[in-house]
Amino acid sequence: MLILFFFRRYNKLFRFLLKVKRTQLDLQQVWAAYMGTKHLSTAQLSNMTKIWLARMHMAFLIDNLQYYLQVSNLSDIIDWVLAIVCCHSFS
């Protein structure tokens, strides 16, 4: 049935969105931990700067991926769902 197929795909998409959100939260926790390292020596800060830059690049990618998936794709999916719901009877 078409509706069951849709709901399976919809659940798969939202599981992926949850993974993206968890990754985003983990990256934010790394930022918070980095902010607590200001008392380190210069050599230690040099290593932390490399980690910080990697974190910034990953956060940029994840933030934009999440935005794209939620705004671009979900609006299309919601329109598609509404069209299916309006055309099918659930009785």
Side-chain angles (χ1 to χ4, degrees), residues 2-3 6-7 77-91:
L2 181 62
I3 294 174
F6 165 74
F7 282 120
I77 290 172
I78 289 170
D79 292 341
W80 188 64
V81 169
L82 291 174
I84 288 174
V85 169
C86 291
C87 296
H88 288 75
S89 171
F90 289 102
S91 56

Side-chain angles (χ1 to χ4, degrees), residues 19-78:
K19 288 179 185 179
V20 170
K21 185 63 176 177
R22 283 187 206 117
T23 302
Q24 186 180 38
L25 292 173
D26 288 343
L27 288 169
Q28 289 172 353
Q29 288 176 348
V30 169
W31 175 81
Y34 176 77
M35 295 308 289
T37 61
K38 294 186 178 191
H39 64 279
L40 297 176
S41 70
T42 305
Q44 291 171 324
L45 282 176
S46 176
N47 289 334
M48 290 300 291
T49 301
K50 293 174 187 173
I51 294 170
W52 176 245
L53 288 174
R55 181 249 168 234
M56 283 185 354
H57 290 297
M58 289 187 292
F60 178 79
L61 175 69
I62 293 298
D63 290 345
N64 285 298
L65 175 65
Q66 183 181 31
Y67 177 80
Y68 172 75
L69 291 172
Q70 287 181 338
V71 173
S72 298
N73 291 328
L74 286 182
S75 63
D76 294 339
I77 290 172
I78 289 170

